[in-house]
């Protein structure tokens, strides 16, 4: 029994050290205060505890990327955005940096929330809009043009879908 207790204690210590390392990595990468890094580290811990990411280090990297691309999100929204980015990464093979750049484009161009943007992108992947491997690039490049002619994100994705369907 003592061996089991020692193993659990060792695992807990190891996890605590990984979380401290994540906080330090976040602080160094983003140049934020120690308090903000701790807050972001707590977000990383929650994302990891919710089953996303292979390691706390991977999740910390995602937090850094999401924070850089989707600045000033409140803690709860940052957690959700990081989880959505992890879902796209794991399910669709999409790089977190790429997906969050496209989310930022949809947010800034069409006034969407991060969740709405991730929902549109996820649905686009599900509907085969990445058939050429350029779906996210198309969002980034064409969103301003669609907005300039008075169209919204729904219109843009509808046209992307029609184009995908017609080859």
């Amino acid at each position: 029994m003592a061996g089991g207790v020692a193993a659990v204690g060792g695992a807990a210590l190891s996890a605590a050290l990984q979380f401290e390392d994540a906080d330090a990595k976040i602080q160094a990468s983003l140049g934020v205060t120690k308090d903000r890094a701790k807050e972001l580290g707590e977000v990383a811990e929650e994302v990891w505890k919710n089953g996303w990411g292979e390691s706390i280090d991977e999740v910390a990297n995602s937090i850094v990327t999401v924070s850089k691309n989707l600045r000033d999100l409140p803690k709860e929204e940052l957690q959700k955005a990081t989880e959505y980015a992890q879902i796209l990464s794991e399910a669709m093979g999409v790089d977190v940096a790429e997906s969050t750049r496209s989310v930022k484009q949809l947010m800034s161009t069409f006034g969407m929330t991060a969740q709405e943007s991730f929902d549109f992108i996820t649905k686009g992947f599900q509907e085969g809009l990445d058939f050429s491997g350029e779906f996210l690039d198309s969002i980034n490049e064409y969103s301003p043009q669609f907005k300039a002619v008075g169209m919204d994100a729904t219109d843009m994705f509808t046209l992307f879908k029609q184009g995908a369907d017609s080859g």
Side-chain angles (χ1 to χ4, degrees):
M1 189 164 112
V5 171
V8 169
L13 178 61
S14 175
L17 291 174
Q18 288 177 8
F19 292 130
E20 284 182 26
D21 288 347
D23 291 357
K25 183 177 196 165
I26 289 167
Q27 185 177 12
S29 296
L30 296 175
V32 296
T33 66
K34 191 170 187 157
D35 288 340
R36 178 66 175 156
K38 182 165 179 52
E39 181 179 316
L40 295 174
E42 291 168 0
V43 172
E45 184 176 348
E46 286 302 312
V47 170
W48 186 73
K49 284 180 179 178
N50 287 342
W52 300 109
E54 294 294 319
S55 67
I56 190 63
D57 190 54
E58 178 186 328
V59 174
N61 288 335
S62 292
I63 291 288
V64 167
T65 301
V66 172
S67 294
K68 284 180 179 177
N69 289 341
L70 305 178
R71 297 197 179 273
D72 302 322
L73 285 180
K75 185 177 178 179
E76 295 78 24
E77 287 182 46
L78 178 64
Q79 178 180 336
K80 288 185 185 305
T82 303
E83 289 177 355
Y84 296 143
Q86 285 293 140
I87 291 168
L88 280 175
S89 177
E90 292 176 22
M92 308 295 183
V94 178
D95 182 70
V96 170
E98 289 182 58
S99 68
T100 54
R101 277 192 298 270
S102 296
V103 165
K104 178 63 175 174
Q105 183 66 266
L106 292 172
M107 291 172 69
S108 62
T109 303
F110 298 114
M112 300 168 72
T113 66
Q115 181 174 348
E116 291 168 336
S117 300
F118 275 110
D119 288 347
F120 267 77
I121 290 169
T122 300
K123 186 174 182 197
F125 274 102
Q126 291 168 342
E127 292 183 349
L129 300 188
D130 193 43
F131 66 94
S132 67
E134 297 178 2
F135 174 49
L136 295 179
D137 291 336
S138 295
I139 291 170
N140 294 331
E141 184 174 345
Y142 295 112
S143 291
Q145 283 76 27
F146 278 89
K147 177 73 173 180
V149 296
M151 299 177 111
D152 62 16
T154 300
D155 298 326
M156 182 176 74
F157 278 78
T158 299
L159 287 175
F160 285 173
K161 175 76 170 126
Q162 290 172 352
D165 289 347
S166 65

